[in-house]
Amino acid sequence: MRNKKIHEHSENNRIHGNEQPNSRKAVPDSRLASSSFRSGFFKVATLTTLLISLSACVLVPGSNIDPDIYEADAGSNWFEVNRGTWFPGLRGGDAESDATAGEPLDEDTLEDAIDIVPITSNVIAQQSQSQNLIPAAMPASLQEDIANYEYHVGKGDMLHITVYDHPELTNPSGSNNNNIQNSGIIVESDGTIFYPYIGKVQVAGKTTNEIRESIANPLAEFIASPQVNVRVIGFNAERAYVTGQVANPGPQPINDIPMTVLDAISRAGGLADGANWHEVLLSRNGVETRLSVYEMLNNGRLGQNMLLQHGDVLHVPDLGQQKVFVLGELNRVNTLPMGNIRMSLTEALTRSGGLNQVTSNAEGIFVIRQTEATSDKLATVYQLNVRNAVAFAVGTQFMLEPSDIVYVTTAPVTRWNRVISQIIPSLNALITADRVNQL
């Protein structure tokens, strides 16, 4: 029994690690050194493989950065130095081809895809010239049309005819009825009216002066020197239509006062809050004309203030894409409406809180502008370099257009820091796993 207890005590000491040094074999120092070496080698090899994999993968953010390109002369064209760096989507090759996928576009291919234009004084001058294409003054022909405008009576109009000293002819419905509307005469569907003594008179398509003569001359056979006056008291024959973002959309009758585009909008109660002032559409006989109410009201360019005609449709669209999108390394990403204003590049940056002083690249302020559908280019990219803050003065003269995308790119060191920040979690995981294996 005693021997049995001694045996059990010995076994417990061995199992719980309490066995005396002289009761087990010592591990050779060479084995411990070999194990430590293999663990360190495994860690170095794993980290090296990870870094090589990241540097070879074009999908890792910042992997296409070449730090040498940022040492170029500041006076050179920014795009010549950084071509393709900030636009990873503009890469050549077929996505299905392993041989060419991920390869940057060469210079010729890139220039075929987009137009790259640094913002300079020449660009500002060209922009000003294009804005001056809208006539500032009202054309002489339009002024003459307005000055000589006369309304022509049509079917459905109501006329009031006065024959002085003859109230029975002035008010054929009865001398006791003083309501001018009740004494009016409607133009029939055949364009005629019936008048006492002379019967039917053709009036459609005539001015009030012409109608007066058409009544006075035959009436002279019955009345000595008749004094006749004709005026329209109900304009029902002709109308234009104002639709869209106005206070009171609907038909606007054309009367004896000439009605221009601005007059029609005013009669409709003015533009609504969500109106697009820059692309008002005038449809006439199937032909659409784009008008800028903004230029008329804010810059006095009345060359587009056309005289409306019967059947015209004036449509004021909503804001739609009348916005500027401000993205990138700013203090606030923003969407700026441009329905009733125009803004410069500097103003758009200011409204978005300005550049982020820590992460933004002052050389990389871009305005991406979509080209016309008929153009063989995808877009025009304007670039402003504000490394010298005086360049912001140039930005105040560069006017944005609706649907422009303003993008402020990232500083090189920020891109590198972001790559590192994505690598660190993986490194921590590897280090943690390695330490667990050593326990």
Side-chain angles (χ1 to χ4, degrees), residues 358-434:
V358 177
T359 62
S360 63
N361 183 357
E363 297 182 9
I365 300 177
F366 305 112
V367 177
I368 304 172
R369 180 170 298 167
Q370 185 177 358
T371 55
E372 298 291 338
T374 55
S375 175
D376 57 350
K377 302 284 187 178
L378 295 177
T380 300
V381 179
Y382 297 92
Q383 180 258 333
L384 179 65
N385 184 347
V386 293
R387 174 179 289 182
N388 184 344
V390 177
F392 276 115
V394 178
T396 60
Q397 302 178 54
F398 183 84
M399 305 307 296
L400 299 177
E401 295 182 2
S403 299
D404 278 353
I405 299 175
V406 179
Y407 180 77
V408 180
T409 192
T410 311
V413 64
T414 303
R415 282 179 164 252
W416 173 247
N417 289 339
R418 288 177 179 174
V419 173
I420 294 299
S421 67
Q422 296 185 33
I423 295 176
I424 286 177
S426 300
L427 296 181
N428 288 336
L430 289 174
I431 293 172
T432 301
D434 182 64

Side-chain angles (χ1 to χ4, degrees), residues 275-383:
N276 177 356
W277 293 33
H278 304 284
E279 295 181 347
V280 176
L281 297 178
L282 175 62
S283 299
R284 175 177 296 171
N285 299 326
V287 179
E288 287 189 347
T289 304
R290 291 183 180 271
L291 309 173
S292 176
V293 176
Y294 175 86
E295 292 292 337
M296 298 183 205
L297 295 179
N298 290 274
N299 297 329
R301 299 184 179 277
L302 299 178
Q304 296 181 335
N305 194 24
M306 302 174 63
L307 191 64
L308 297 187
Q309 301 176 3
H310 174 56
D312 285 351
V313 178
L314 188 66
H315 179 69
V316 181
D318 59 12
L319 283 176
Q321 293 300 315
Q322 292 289 313
K323 301 175 182 178
V324 169
F325 307 93
V326 189
L327 309 171
E329 301 301 323
L330 297 150
N331 290 318
R332 183 176 64 256
V333 174
N334 213 347
T335 300
L336 303 175
M338 295 183 63
N340 58 352
I341 61 172
R342 280 283 187 250
M343 72 177 67
S344 66
L345 175 56
T346 300
E347 183 179 358
L349 295 174
T350 303
R351 290 192 176 192
S352 300
L355 305 183
N356 188 314
Q357 298 298 320
V358 177
T359 62
S360 63
N361 183 357
E363 297 182 9
I365 300 177
F366 305 112
V367 177
I368 304 172
R369 180 170 298 167
Q370 185 177 358
T371 55
E372 298 291 338
T374 55
S375 175
D376 57 350
K377 302 284 187 178
L378 295 177
T380 300
V381 179
Y382 297 92
Q383 180 258 333

Side-chain angles (χ1 to χ4, degrees), residues 167-180 182-183:
E168 73 281 3
L169 295 178
T170 299
N171 191 359
S173 61
S175 58
N176 294 328
N177 190 348
N178 295 321
N179 190 329
I180 191 173
N182 293 336
S183 64

Side-chain angles (χ1 to χ4, degrees), residues 17-284:
N18 297 326
E19 186 175 357
Q20 298 299 321
N22 57 0
S23 64
R24 66 174 181 176
K25 292 183 179 181
V27 178
D29 293 341
S30 61
R31 289 179 56 189
L32 293 175
S34 176
S35 175
S36 176
F37 174 77
R38 285 198 303 269
S39 175
F41 177 78
F42 171 76
K43 185 188 301 183
V44 173
T46 303
L47 297 181
T48 303
T49 303
L50 176 63
L51 291 175
I52 293 175
S53 300
L54 290 176
S55 62
C57 180
V58 297
L59 298 179
V60 176
S63 60
N64 57 345
I65 296 177
D66 180 2
D68 294 335
I69 64 178
Y70 303 108
E71 299 178 359
D73 182 12
S76 62
N77 188 324
W78 190 91
F79 277 96
E80 292 178 358
V81 178
N82 301 276
R83 187 175 300 279
T85 302
W86 302 116
F87 300 97
L90 294 175
R91 294 181 178 276
D94 187 355
E96 299 179 356
S97 174
D98 294 336
T100 59
E103 292 297 328
L105 290 173
D106 57 28
E107 181 175 349
D108 294 337
T109 307
L110 183 62
E111 290 182 353
D112 290 340
I114 60 175
D115 282 328
I116 302 170
V117 182
I119 298 177
T120 61
S121 57
N122 291 335
V123 172
I124 302 298
Q126 294 174 3
Q127 188 182 61
S128 300
Q129 291 177 359
S130 63
Q131 293 175 349
N132 291 334
L133 294 178
I134 301 177
M138 187 176 294
S141 58
L142 180 57
Q143 294 181 18
E144 184 178 355
D145 291 341
I146 294 176
N148 298 328
Y149 175 81
E150 286 187 305
Y151 179 78
H152 292 77
V153 172
K155 304 174 184 178
D157 283 344
M158 179 180 288
L159 304 178
H160 184 264
I161 301 173
T162 301
V163 180
Y164 294 100
D165 295 331
H166 293 274
E168 73 281 3
L169 295 178
T170 299
N171 191 359
S173 61
S175 58
N176 294 328
N177 190 348
N178 295 321
N179 190 329
I180 191 173
Q181 295 293 331
N182 293 336
S183 64
I185 303 174
I186 300 294
V187 179
E188 303 294 337
S189 58
D190 61 354
T192 64
I193 60 171
F194 179 83
Y195 200 74
Y197 299 129
I198 59 177
K200 282 190 173 185
V201 180
Q202 183 68 36
V203 295
K206 294 182 179 180
T207 65
T208 54
N209 287 333
E210 292 172 343
I211 296 173
R212 181 180 61 81
E213 293 179 359
S214 298
I215 293 176
N217 291 337
L219 199 59
E221 298 180 8
F222 307 95
I223 300 174
S225 302
Q227 303 295 314
V228 180
N229 181 50
V230 178
R231 62 192 180 104
V232 183
I233 58 175
F235 296 90
N236 305 314
E238 297 183 359
R239 60 181 59 86
Y241 300 87
V242 182
T243 63
Q245 300 300 311
V246 291
N248 300 307
Q252 296 296 327
I254 294 177
N255 52 31
D256 53 351
I257 300 175
M259 182 170 62
T260 63
V261 170
L262 295 181
D263 294 331
I265 293 175
S266 178
R267 292 184 188 181
L271 297 171
D273 292 338
N276 177 356
W277 293 33
H278 304 284
E279 295 181 347
V280 176
L281 297 178
L282 175 62
S283 299
R284 175 177 296 171

